[in-house]
């Protein structure tokens, strides 16, 4: 039997020059006059443009408000944040209205398979381009292979096991049995992606140090071997995690022929995750990558006796970079269109002296996330008795009597006088990540601007119209130091801190507790909070005692990931791969103890319909979210199942269940 028209996975490997509007450096679409393959791959310039179009499917996570391209709803759709605008797609994740027929559900399936299709076409045809030197053809082919594997990895973390198309494009007149394919198992998917990563890495540049990399800036941002090896760390961490590794709820998800799609538990997968992260660190740190550290004067910290290290600036700038000096960035999308992203982070600031101060503040932090940040002693707020019982506040209002300054740079005030007590004496990462009422805005040119988020405040609901923070807090991480409308900033997708935490997590699951704590402490040391252990740490703090048990260290690692990687599109997937997103009652580590329902349930913020001195600071429910077990994965798009009955649905989404 032959077919002429179909809308399933196989169609995405057919010859097509679908145009993606994009002007990001080498993320450029090929010409729109439907050039033949022969002409395209006869010219080096056109061949490179074809590959640029494959790169265009790398997500620009700065574009989450409109989920353009492959950008996801991952920040606003997690327990850490909320957008004020109802049109933002993450609202559908939060209210549970997604279903197999939703456009957002089919979006990533369609887009990533398009990227996979184009990568396959490039791999099959690049050697026809004799204008391009043979060694460069080999390299470009490896880039496409790595991108294709990365697209598959993203499909896996969204949908679980998917269909692996393979190397050869499927012909237009292929028999039906070659076109209608069932899903591969999770182990087959992971092993395929791992094999492809290794094959690509073998043919990619492997810089021995940062200087070597920087000297060829035209290639900056392209896939190189260390980026692929970092991706392998992420792949195996997902494969080892409870969502995909022995999940009892998924045990009966099978293809029509009875093939199980999800595996039984395997400790070996945790070991693979441990080894992948360890090998990356051993090979590329510190010669190629290192945690970003700045001195109090903003210059790179070298450890000299005349320099004073500043954890606040170091952490803040680790995600803000187009700079070769930021050795922490591993994988990033260069020159992404980020002005809209910066608009979301910049408060409304009614009455500002010029528009460089005036944004929307529409990307808001939940109270649950605010309460996860440690105090300045590196403790949970419920464990720090001094934080709770300090007498440095006005008894009548709970406002601070004096400012709280950066302990590593005392000339810089984190929390000015008359700041509410809950936002004083918190760790440096809190001040880098969260704009709270009465905080000083980052842009101080030509003058300082204090942000007020209560009802009649300069960034409150009464003056902002549709632009205000629905929780009274605004996401600050990644915010501009100057004009929010200035573009050209990189969208950081992977940085070294994540790989350190990947390694710590996998090492702990392999009972290598000392290794887990070592890398957890590297994160805490850079963050300016006390390390775990005994004695005095490198910042002069008394270390915090801990018990060397898998459960306790796991909790500490999860809390550290929640803080260190906040608003970086990771928590959405972390709470799902850990199988804690339906937690009935907060455990005090992943969720505050007062929070009920994991990613669902009542979510809290400040009372933004009120003004100080009292009612504004009351914690009120701003939204009730929905999370069921089926929400651990997106459903397979119903349009694909309608055409290809061999595609079985994910757990909880079938109408027959």
């Amino acid at each position: 039997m032959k077919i002429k028209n179909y809308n399933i996975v196989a169609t995405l490997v057919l010859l097509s020059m679908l145009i993606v509007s994009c002007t990001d450096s080498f993320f450029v679409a090929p010409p729109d006059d439907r050039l033949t393959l022969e002409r395209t791959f006869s010219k080096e310039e056109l061949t490179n443009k074809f590959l640029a179009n494959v790169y265009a499917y790398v997500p620009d996570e700065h574009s989450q408000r409109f989920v353009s391209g492959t950008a996801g709803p991952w920040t606003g759709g997690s327990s850490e944040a909320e957008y004020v605008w109802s049109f933002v797609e993450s609202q559908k994740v939060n209210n549970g209205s997604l279903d197999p027929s939703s456009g957002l559900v089919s979006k990533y399936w369609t887009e990533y398979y398009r990227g996979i299709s184009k990568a396959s076409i490039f791999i099959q045809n690049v050697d026809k381009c004799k204008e391009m030197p043979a060694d460069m053809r080999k390299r470009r082919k490896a880039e496409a292979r790595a991108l294709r594997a990365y697209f598959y990895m993203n499909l896996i973390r969204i949908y679980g096991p998917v269909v692996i198309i393979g190397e050869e494009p499927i012909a237009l007149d292929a028999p039906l049995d070659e076109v209608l394919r069932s899903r591969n198992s999770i182990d087959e998917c992971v092993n395929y992606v791992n094999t492809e990563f290794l094959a690509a890495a073998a043919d990619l540049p492997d810089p021995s140090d940062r200087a070597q990399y920087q000297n060829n800036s035209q290639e900056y941002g392209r896939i190189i071997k260390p980026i692929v090896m970092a991706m392998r760390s992420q792949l195996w961490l997902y494969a080892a995690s409870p969502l995909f590794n022995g999940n009892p709820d998924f045990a009966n998800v099978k293809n029509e022929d009875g093939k199980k799609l999800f595996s039984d538990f395997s400790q070996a997968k945790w070991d693979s995750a441990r080894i992948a992260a360890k090998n990356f660190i051993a090979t590329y740190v510190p010669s190629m990558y290192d945690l970003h550290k700045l001195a109090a004067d903003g210059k790179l910290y070298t450890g000299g006796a005349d320099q004073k290290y500043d954890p606040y600036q170091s952490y803040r700038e680790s995600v803000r970079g187009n700079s070769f000096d930021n050795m922490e960035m591993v994988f990033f999308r260069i020159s992404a269109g980020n002005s809209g992203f910066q608009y979301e982070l910049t408060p409304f600031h009614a009455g500002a002296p010029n528009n460089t101060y005036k944004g929307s503040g529409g990307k808001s932090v939940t109270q649950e996330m605010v309460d996860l940040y440690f105090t300045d002693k590196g403790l949970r707020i419920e464990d720090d008795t001094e934080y709770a019982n300090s007498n440095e506040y006005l008894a009548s209002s709970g406002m601070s009597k004096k400012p709280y300054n950066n302990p590593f740079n005392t000339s810089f005030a984190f929390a000015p006088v008359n700041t509410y007590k809950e936002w004083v004496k918190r760790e440096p990462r809190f001040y880098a990540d969260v704009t709270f009422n009465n905080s000083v805005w980052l842009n101080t040119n030509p003058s300082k601007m204090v942000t007020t988020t209560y009802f009649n405040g300069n960034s409150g609901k009464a003056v902002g119209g549709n632009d205000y923070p629905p929780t009274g807090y605004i996401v600050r991480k990644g915010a501009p130091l100057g004009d929010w409308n200035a573009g050209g900033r990189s969208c950081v997708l992977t940085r070294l801190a994540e790989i350190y935490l990947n390694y710590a997590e996998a090492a702990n699951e392999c009972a290598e507790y000392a290794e887990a704590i070592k890398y957890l402490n590297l994160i805490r040391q850079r963050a300016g909070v006390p390390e775990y252990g005994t004695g005095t740490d490198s910042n002069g703090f008394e270390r915090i005692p801990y018990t060397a048990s898998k459960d306790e260290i796991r909790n500490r690692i999860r809390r550290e990931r929640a803080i260190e990687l906040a608003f970086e599109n990771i928590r959405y997937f972390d709470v799902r791969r850990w199988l804690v997103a339906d937690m009935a009652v907060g455990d005090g580590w992943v969720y505050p103890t007062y929070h009920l329902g994991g990613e669902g349930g009542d979510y809290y913020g400040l009372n933004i319909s009120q003004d100080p001195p009292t009612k504004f600071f009351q914690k009120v429910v701003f939204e009730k979210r929905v999370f069921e077990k089926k929400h651990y994965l997106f459903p397979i798009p119903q349009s694909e199942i309608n055409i290809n009955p061999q595609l079985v649905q994910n757990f909880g989404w079938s109408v027959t269940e």
Side-chain angles (χ1 to χ4, degrees):
M1 177 180 180
K2 306 288 185 179
I3 60 173
K4 293 183 179 180
N5 296 297
Y6 45 84
N7 182 32
I8 55 176
V9 170
T11 65
L12 302 173
V13 296
L14 302 177
L15 173 60
S16 104
M17 300 295 286
L18 298 172
I19 305 305
V20 175
S21 177
C22 187
T23 58
D24 300 344
S25 187
F26 60 79
F27 291 86
V28 178
D32 60 0
D33 57 353
R34 297 187 180 276
L35 299 171
T36 63
L37 281 180
E38 289 76 14
R39 182 182 172 193
T40 298
F41 289 100
S42 68
K43 301 292 183 181
E44 184 172 8
E45 178 185 5
L46 296 178
T47 300
N48 280 326
K49 285 184 176 180
F50 195 106
L51 180 58
N53 192 233
V54 179
Y55 270 99
Y57 291 90
V58 173
D60 174 9
E61 300 294 7
H62 282 162
S63 301
Q64 290 194 7
R65 183 160 33 120
F66 299 105
V67 292
S68 62
T70 51
W74 318 130
T75 300
S78 79
S79 51
E80 62 192 4
E82 167 76 359
Y83 281 98
V84 68
W85 306 287
S86 61
F87 65 82
V88 180
E89 294 282 14
S90 59
Q91 306 290 6
K92 297 176 182 176
V93 175
N94 295 334
N95 63 29
S97 64
L98 285 183
D99 62 48
S101 299
S102 299
L104 189 65
V105 166
S106 62
K107 177 183 179 64
Y108 303 103
W109 185 277
T110 301
E111 289 297 301
Y112 278 123
Y113 273 115
R114 283 176 177 162
I116 289 166
S117 164
K118 292 177 184 180
S120 294
I121 293 170
F122 184 89
I123 291 167
Q124 291 293 313
N125 289 278
V126 64
D127 284 326
K128 297 176 183 177
C129 184
K130 303 307 179 184
E131 276 191 3
M132 185 180 289
D135 60 339
M136 187 56 70
R137 295 199 303 270
K138 183 178 181 181
R139 172 176 177 173
R140 298 297 188 231
K141 183 186 293 185
E143 289 177 40
R145 188 176 299 280
L147 287 168
R148 184 173 66 181
Y150 172 69
F151 299 155
Y152 272 119
M153 184 174 75
N154 284 347
L155 283 170
I156 292 167
R157 68 178 189 161
I158 297 170
Y159 300 98
V162 292
V163 179
I164 301 297
I165 298 172
E167 195 71 23
E168 297 293 332
I170 300 173
L172 275 169
D173 61 349
L176 188 61
D177 59 357
E178 291 183 18
V179 174
L180 302 182
R181 298 185 178 186
S182 57
R183 297 168 70 183
N184 290 82
S185 70
I186 188 65
D187 286 347
E188 289 171 339
C189 290
V190 169
N191 290 333
Y192 171 81
V193 173
N194 181 61
T195 300
E196 288 292 284
F197 276 152
L198 291 174
D203 292 335
L204 285 168
D206 191 17
S208 59
D209 58 52
R210 193 73 171 188
Q212 179 185 352
Y213 184 37
Q214 291 177 222
N215 287 338
N216 192 3
S217 60
Q218 289 184 344
E219 298 294 318
Y220 197 55
R222 287 188 178 275
I223 301 291
I224 55 177
K225 183 175 180 178
I227 293 175
V228 175
M229 304 315 283
M231 290 174 176
R232 285 190 70 242
S233 167
Q234 295 166 324
L235 172 71
W236 281 109
L237 191 73
Y238 279 101
S241 296
L243 178 66
F244 294 131
N245 191 13
N247 185 345
D249 291 325
F250 291 179
N252 292 322
V253 180
K254 301 176 182 178
N255 283 337
E256 294 298 325
D257 62 2
K259 178 180 180 178
K260 289 182 62 174
L261 295 186
F262 294 89
S263 64
D264 297 331
F265 175 76
S266 169
Q267 178 63 33
K269 293 178 181 178
W270 278 117
D271 201 45
S272 294
R274 180 189 63 83
I275 292 170
K278 183 178 182 179
N279 286 347
F280 176 90
I281 294 167
T283 305
Y284 298 112
V285 179
S287 62
M288 185 67 183
Y289 304 105
D290 207 349
L291 293 181
H292 192 51
K293 293 185 178 181
L294 296 174
D297 60 3
K299 296 180 180 179
L300 282 178
Y301 180 73
T302 60
D306 59 338
Q307 279 191 313
K308 191 172 183 181
Y309 170 58
D310 188 347
Y312 163 76
Q313 281 205 89
S314 301
Y315 169 76
R316 185 191 70 191
E317 295 300 303
S318 68
V319 296
R320 282 178 33 82
N322 270 351
S323 171
F324 285 119
D325 292 336
N326 186 353
M327 292 182 66
E328 189 160 346
M329 295 193 305
V330 178
F331 184 41
F332 48 91
R333 180 168 174 144
I334 64 173
S335 301
N338 58 281
S339 60
F341 169 75
Q342 295 178 157
Y343 170 78
E344 298 162 8
L345 309 181
T346 304
F348 186 78
H349 287 150
N354 59 62
N355 285 336
T356 66
Y357 289 93
K358 191 174 181 180
S360 70
K363 191 174 184 179
S364 199
V365 187
T366 65
Q367 185 68 51
E368 282 80 354
M369 187 65 214
V370 166
D371 291 340
L372 287 181
Y373 286 90
F374 296 122
T375 69
D376 59 347
K377 295 180 180 60
L379 299 171
R380 298 182 299 170
I381 56 177
E382 59 265 41
D383 296 331
D384 190 338
T385 56
E386 184 178 331
Y387 170 81
N389 300 317
S390 175
N391 62 0
E392 296 181 1
Y393 312 110
L394 296 171
S396 60
S397 62
M399 300 298 175
S400 62
K401 298 177 183 177
K402 59 183 181 180
Y404 173 62
N405 295 332
N406 181 350
F408 293 84
N409 180 8
T410 54
S411 64
F412 186 86
F414 279 156
V417 175
N418 295 325
T419 297
Y420 192 52
K421 61 183 180 181
E422 290 191 10
W423 312 322
V424 178
K425 293 191 175 182
R426 302 297 288 273
E427 61 159 304
R429 290 178 294 191
F430 173 76
Y431 300 103
D433 285 358
V434 180
T435 296
F436 50 88
N437 185 71
N438 202 46
S439 56
V440 177
W441 180 237
L442 295 170
N443 186 353
T444 58
N445 184 24
S447 60
K448 288 186 178 180
M449 173 65 66
V450 175
T451 304
T452 50
T453 60
Y454 51 82
F455 185 65
N456 285 296
N458 63 23
S459 301
K461 186 176 181 180
V463 301
N466 292 323
D467 295 338
Y468 62 90
T471 69
Y473 303 98
I474 304 169
V475 175
R476 180 175 286 208
K477 192 173 198 175
L481 303 183
D483 185 352
W484 68 263
N485 204 32
R489 286 247 322 277
S490 295
C491 177
V492 181
L493 298 171
T494 304
R495 58 188 179 96
L496 182 61
E498 180 186 350
I499 307 301
Y500 278 4
L501 289 167
N502 290 356
Y503 180 50
E505 183 176 345
N508 181 61
E509 296 300 328
C510 293
E512 294 191 1
Y513 304 136
E515 279 288 276
I517 289 295
K518 174 183 176 180
Y519 282 88
L520 191 59
N521 279 342
L522 287 174
I523 298 297
R524 292 177 67 84
Q525 186 274 333
R526 196 274 296 275
V529 294
E531 299 172 14
Y532 294 120
T534 58
T536 303
D537 69 19
S538 57
N539 283 329
F541 295 124
E542 286 298 311
R543 292 190 175 95
I544 299 170
Y546 73 97
T547 301
S549 71
K550 186 175 293 186
D551 288 344
E552 179 171 335
I553 296 175
R554 181 189 295 133
N555 284 336
R556 295 184 185 278
I557 291 169
R558 289 179 175 182
R559 182 65 162 261
E560 207 71 45
R561 284 185 72 96
I563 298 168
E564 175 70 24
L565 304 176
F567 317 115
E568 295 184 47
N569 318 300
I570 293 174
R571 181 170 173 83
Y572 175 97
F573 296 102
D574 272 355
V575 295
R576 285 163 172 77
R577 68 179 179 83
W578 293 332
L579 280 185
V580 299
D582 63 338
M583 186 182 292
V585 180
D587 62 348
W589 293 99
V590 180
Y591 300 99
T593 54
Y594 62 79
H595 181 73
L596 308 178
E599 292 299 286
D602 291 340
Y603 272 83
Y604 291 83
L606 301 172
N607 193 347
I608 62 169
S609 296
Q610 300 292 329
D611 291 329
T614 56
K615 291 185 178 180
F616 167 68
F617 300 105
Q618 296 172 345
K619 308 303 188 297
V620 298
V621 175
F622 73 86
E623 182 175 58
K624 187 176 184 66
R625 295 185 176 181
V626 176
F627 189 89
E628 303 172 21
K629 282 186 178 292
K630 68 180 182 180
H631 294 129
Y632 274 105
L633 291 172
F634 269 31
I636 304 300
Q638 191 61 45
S639 58
E640 301 296 330
I641 292 177
N642 290 343
I643 296 169
N644 180 8
Q646 292 192 45
L647 290 175
V648 297
Q649 188 53 274
N650 275 332
F651 170 82
W653 293 103
S654 173
V655 295
T656 62
E657 291 174 329

